[in-house]
Amino acid sequence: MTAKITLKGTTLIVGGARSGKSAYGEVLIASLKLNPVYIATAQADDEEMHQRIIEHQIRRGTGWTTVEQPLALCEALKQYAVPGNAVLVDCLTLWLSNLMMADKDIAAETSKLADLMPLLAAPVVFVSNEVGMGLVPETALGRDFRDHAGRMNQRIAEAADNVSFIAAGLPLSLKATKRDKT
């Protein structure tokens, strides 16, 4: 996969499951030749998730600093989105799940993140799933998640300098602005 945009400021990458979002984000971060930092929001609560985490680690290879932060994303960004680093946050929808399970105020946490984004001193790529393009979830929890994810993605896209949609491993630029943070 080849990077199609010049990475400046903050970038949101959205797409479906297994669409290539994370791999694209990794390519963007690696292209900067800065210290790559991976902020992982996933928690290995079952074997399937554990295997996904291993798959991502293998694909990234060595050289990345990995920070596991399932809830306090803004605090991790303040610590690691500093000059000399380039940060990949993977992913916002797992962060959202964690916030929901911890009974956090989703709107407040989303606003806190969006408000922080223009203040970050390093390029940051956020990965998020686009979950609103399919069937209506059967359960109330599923519908709440879909709705929160849609609102979160809109808010983060508004705050981001760049937004790309990934389908079948191919990026489509939805928004590109010029703000140098490299």
Side-chain angles (χ1 to χ4, degrees):
M1 177 181 307
T2 303
K4 299 292 186 196
I5 65 172
T6 301
L7 187 61
K8 296 180 184 289
T10 55
T11 299
L12 173 65
I13 299 172
V14 295
R18 300 293 189 179
S19 62
K21 302 176 302 293
S22 297
Y24 183 62
E26 292 163 9
V27 167
L28 290 176
I29 293 295
S31 73
L32 295 176
K33 307 300 185 211
L34 297 170
N35 300 317
V37 177
Y38 185 94
I39 299 179
T41 61
Q43 299 180 87
D45 292 332
D46 59 33
E47 184 58 29
E48 187 266 340
M49 184 55 79
H50 179 70
Q51 289 303 314
R52 281 181 182 246
I53 290 169
I54 290 172
E55 176 185 314
H56 280 236
Q57 290 169 338
I58 291 169
R59 187 178 61 230
R60 279 194 313 273
T62 61
W64 287 73
T65 299
T66 300
V67 178
E68 295 180 2
Q69 186 46 262
L71 290 171
L73 180 55
C74 288
E75 288 72 17
L77 285 166
K78 288 175 189 175
Q79 183 176 353
Y80 291 96
V82 296
N85 287 349
V87 179
L88 176 63
V89 175
D90 197 0
C91 81
L92 291 180
T93 37
L94 286 172
W95 177 64
L96 171 62
S97 291
N98 298 336
L99 293 173
M100 289 178 70
M101 298 310 289
D103 202 27
K104 299 288 186 181
D105 182 332
I106 305 304
E109 293 292 330
T110 300
S111 289
K112 184 174 154 183
L113 176 59
D115 292 346
L116 176 64
M117 289 170 65
L119 306 175
L120 297 171
V124 179
V125 172
F126 298 91
V127 172
S128 190
N129 286 288
E130 177 53 65
V131 298
M133 296 175 71
L135 299 172
V136 174
E138 186 175 314
T139 66
L141 179 60
R143 290 187 297 275
D144 284 347
F145 176 79
R146 177 211 51 204
D147 293 348
H148 284 308
R151 286 189 290 271
M152 176 188 68
N153 284 344
Q154 288 182 59
R155 182 72 171 93
I156 301 307
E158 178 184 17
D161 297 301
N162 307 293
V163 180
S164 290
F165 181 80
I166 307 296
L170 301 174
L172 173 64
S173 178
L174 303 178
K175 176 183 178 182
T177 57
K178 295 182 179 5
R179 184 170 74 97
D180 194 4
K181 285 281 182 135
T182 55

